[in-house]
């Protein structure tokens, strides 16, 4: 049972990472343009919320995971678990009580000292441990000689491209606008490896920007499939076929469509050139952007090939800024478009941290396979009867 649950979590994350839908009202004609359906807040979903009132539901568990990671603990450090049953509502544990004081303190420091900017987080002091260093250990280490640094060059940097030029080079490196416009659907097959080293069979089919089907094969739980058509989501596992709930769909909606890492232009309300750091010894161009949902993103492009090698997202929450990183590698040409055959996702939640390696990617499926994706489609459970 536990394994099935774990597989489902992983699947849902995996689908999420590749999929989603246009953020426009296209899939929901009744919704006013540009207005996302109102999300529930923490206190509308959970029972004993004293501090996180107003926090969007989608940020609640990431915040819990952020506290886990910042202190290097698991949920049971703060929450009661009796005989395998969680009682998250209970305030019995000292950790939860202390955490409430700490959440208030952290919020207070940011509000009163840093003008509301999220400068201090649980991690600032805790660094992955419950205990905090109160002072320096004696004797102090011998200070290292200061490296003689070249004087920072003043004045305008020459030779740096603009954000638009980096994005244009990326489009060319991928295969050009015509090849990108020609991409309508794709199937990717391979494996997904979890942080715990579990290897799962993995296949994902995407059609347009709103139709997706992901299949995970595990020796223990068999085949688990999740589909989403932009409106309704469904799941088929060894036990049942069911429609996904609105909370699960909300989760899927957070994630991108087939063009998410391809059509980067237009995804950012602001994007600027941010420097030329190195990743794995190679020069990369860094672009910093703010996306349409207000999250900060950093995009890294290989200077030589022009291809996207890393994308990071920061979500600002009351306890700290939650990072997420996706690394793209092993680019190969598929029908005229360069596609990464290895995608590594790193997140504070170990369930989200997976490496997907593809052995086969095919684009532009025949219409029949598009229809096949919907066989179990919307109202899956009623159809199955
Ligand atoms: C460092 C302590 C700490 C850790 C670790 C922690 N939590 Fe919490 N959790 C809290 C606090 C504090 C609250 C209450 C927040 C409030 O009052 O607004 C809470 C509330 C909750 C609630 C809401 C319960 C309800 O109905 O009121 C859930 C669910 C929850 N946590 C799940 C988790 C999970 C899952 C994990 C592990 C991934 C986790 N927490 C890790 C401190 C922690
Ligand atoms: C300004 C520094 C600072 C920040 C920020 C901070 N803490 Fe702490 N925290 C401390 C110190 C100091 C202690 C006491 C450690 C000790 O007793 O050695 C502590 C102790 C704790 C403990 C008790 C640990 C134990 O062993 O029982 C918990 C739980 C905790 N902090 C959670 C958090 C959470 C959650 C956040 C973010 C919302 C946070 N802290 C942010 C400094 C900080």
């Amino acid at each position: 049972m536990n394994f099935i649950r774990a597989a489902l979590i992983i699947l849902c994350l995996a689908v999420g990472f590749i999929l989603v839908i246009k953020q426009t009202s296209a899939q929901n004609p009744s919704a006013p343009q540009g207005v996302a359906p109102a999300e529930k807040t923490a206190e509308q979903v959970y029972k004993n919320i004293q501090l996180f009132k107003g926090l969007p539901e989608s940020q609640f568990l990431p915040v819990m995971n952020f506290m886990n990671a910042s202190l290097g603990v698991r949920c049971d450090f703060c929450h009661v678990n009796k005989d395998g049953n969680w009682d998250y509502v209970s305030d019995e544990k000292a950790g939860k009580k202390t955490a409430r004081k700490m959440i208030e303190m952290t919020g207070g420091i940011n509000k009163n000292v840093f003008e509301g900017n999220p400068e201090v987080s649980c991690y600032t002091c805790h660094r992955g441990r419950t205990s905090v260093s109160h002072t320096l250990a004696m004797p102090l280490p011998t200070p290292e000689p200061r490296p003689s640094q070249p004087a920072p060059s003043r004045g305008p940097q020459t030779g740096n491209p603009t954000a638009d030029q980096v994005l244009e080079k990326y489009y060319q490196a991928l295969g050009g606008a015509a090849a990108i416009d020609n991409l309508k659907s794709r199937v990717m097959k391979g494996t997904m490896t979890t942080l715990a080293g579990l290897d799962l069979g993995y296949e994902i089919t995407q059609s347009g920007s709103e139709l997706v089907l992901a299949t995970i094969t595990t020796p223990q739980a068999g085949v688990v499939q999740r589909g989403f058509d932009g409106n309704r989501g469904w799941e088929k596992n060894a036990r049942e076929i069911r429609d996904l709930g609105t909370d699960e769909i909300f989760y899927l909606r957070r994630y991108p469509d087939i063009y998410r890492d391809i059509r980067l232009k237009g995804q950012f309300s602001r994007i600027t050139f941010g420097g030329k750091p190195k990743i794995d010894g190679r020069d990369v161009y860094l672009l910093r952007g703010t996306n349409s949902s207000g999250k900060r993103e950093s995009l890294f492009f290989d200077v030589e090939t022009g291809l996207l090698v890393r994308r990071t997202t920061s979500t600002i929450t009351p306890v700290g800024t939650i990072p997420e990183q996706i690394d793209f590698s092993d680019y190969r040409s598929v029908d005229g478009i360069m596609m990464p055959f290895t995608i590594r996702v790193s997140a504070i939640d170990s369930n989200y941290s997976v490496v997907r390696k593809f052995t086969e990617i095919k684009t532009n499926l025949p219409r029949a396979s598009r229809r096949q994706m919907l066989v179990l489609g919307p109202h899956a459970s009623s159809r199955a009867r």
Side-chain angles (χ1 to χ4, degrees):
M1 273 318 245
N2 261 341
F3 186 85
I4 294 185
R5 195 166 302 156
L8 293 184
I9 292 172
I10 290 165
L11 176 70
C12 138
L13 305 170
V15 178
F17 270 113
I18 322 205
L19 114 23
V20 158
I21 12 293
K22 288 187 286 232
Q23 295 287 353
T24 69
S25 60
Q27 73 278 2
N28 185 357
S30 60
Q33 184 81 35
V35 178
E39 188 183 343
K40 284 192 179 151
T41 53
E43 73 277 13
Q44 294 175 313
V45 179
Y46 300 104
K47 295 205 182 81
N48 181 14
I49 300 302
Q50 298 174 21
L51 300 178
F52 292 138
K53 292 199 170 112
L55 185 73
E57 180 194 358
S58 59
Q59 284 185 19
F60 190 80
L61 289 176
V63 157
M64 292 295 146
N65 277 296
F66 183 83
M67 297 198 289
N68 267 21
S70 296
L71 273 70
V73 298
R74 290 175 182 259
C75 315
D76 66 356
F77 188 81
C78 298
H79 294 292
V80 177
N81 187 319
K82 282 195 186 111
D83 310 319
N85 295 316
W86 288 101
D87 181 0
Y88 292 114
V89 179
S90 163
D91 287 341
E92 208 173 288
K93 285 228 164 158
K96 188 174 180 186
K97 290 185 200 133
T98 312
R100 279 214 176 98
K101 287 190 198 156
M102 294 278 158
I103 294 162
E104 284 192 299
M105 173 191 69
T106 306
I109 296 175
N110 286 329
K111 182 167 170 250
N112 300 322
V113 183
F114 296 108
E115 285 148 15
N117 293 318
E119 300 291 349
V120 172
S121 77
C122 313
Y123 188 76
T124 310
C125 296
H126 282 276
R127 303 268 149 180
R129 300 167 55 192
T130 50
S131 63
V132 167
S133 304
H134 293 99
T135 189
L136 301 147
M138 292 288 125
L140 291 178
T142 320
E144 286 182 19
R146 207 178 277 183
S148 53
Q149 279 176 347
S153 59
R154 296 274 156 98
Q157 287 268 1
T158 48
N160 281 337
T162 63
D164 278 348
Q165 285 167 337
V166 175
L167 291 177
E168 188 50 45
K169 184 171 176 189
Y170 177 52
Y171 277 36
Q172 292 312 318
L174 283 175
I180 294 172
D181 286 344
N182 196 33
L183 176 68
K184 300 286 187 278
S185 58
R186 70 178 166 190
V187 188
M188 310 199 278
K189 288 183 191 169
T191 55
M192 181 159 73
T193 307
T194 67
L195 213 58
L198 198 64
D199 270 321
L200 306 165
Y202 181 69
E203 180 177 327
I204 181 149
T205 308
Q206 295 163 287
S207 182
S209 55
E210 48 194 37
L211 196 57
V212 70
L213 174 71
T215 308
I216 284 192
T217 313
T218 73
Q220 289 90 338
V223 176
V224 182
Q225 287 185 302
R226 269 199 175 190
F228 188 48
D229 75 347
N231 249 331
R232 279 179 230 255
W234 53 271
E235 178 181 289
K236 181 172 187 262
N237 57 49
R239 285 167 299 148
E240 57 178 356
I241 299 171
R242 63 184 186 95
D243 288 329
L244 296 180
T246 42
D247 50 335
E248 290 163 307
I249 289 179
F250 175 82
Y251 185 80
L252 298 180
R253 278 186 197 282
R254 277 177 54 198
Y255 290 96
D257 61 359
I258 191 171
Y259 308 113
R260 153 122 171 145
D261 297 312
I262 294 177
R263 288 191 177 134
L264 294 172
K265 293 179 194 171
Q267 288 185 26
F268 301 93
S269 54
R270 232 174 67 92
I271 187 157
T272 53
F273 181 79
K276 199 174 157 190
K278 278 189 194 296
I279 293 180
D280 297 333
R282 290 179 68 87
D283 287 329
V284 292
Y285 289 135
L286 163 61
L287 302 188
R288 289 186 210 282
T290 306
N291 67 26
S292 47
S293 43
K295 286 186 188 181
R296 292 183 202 161
E297 293 203 33
S298 296
L299 303 163
F300 301 83
F301 299 85
D302 191 291
V303 167
E304 206 177 301
T305 65
L307 292 167
L308 180 69
V309 292
R310 177 172 294 171
R311 181 170 193 170
T312 65
T313 311
S314 304
T315 308
I316 295 170
T317 77
V319 298
T321 300
I322 299 179
E324 192 172 278
Q325 176 174 311
I326 307 182
D327 288 295
F328 305 92
S329 56
D330 191 14
Y331 273 93
R332 299 182 216 164
S333 175
V334 180
D335 297 334
I337 299 193
M338 294 298 279
M339 294 194 183
F341 275 62
T342 301
I343 302 177
R344 172 190 296 271
V345 177
S346 311
I348 49 161
D349 181 344
S350 53
N351 282 318
Y352 285 68
S353 302
V354 294
V355 179
R356 287 179 286 147
K357 277 189 200 288
F358 300 109
T359 46
E360 189 188 335
I361 301 183
K362 279 191 189 151
T363 65
N364 296 345
L365 333 162
R367 285 209 142 259
S369 28
R370 188 184 146 91
R371 272 201 306 277
Q372 250 170 17
M373 285 175 72
L374 282 170
V375 164
L376 288 164
H379 296 306
S381 48
S382 51
R383 258 188 230 189
R385 261 178 239 129

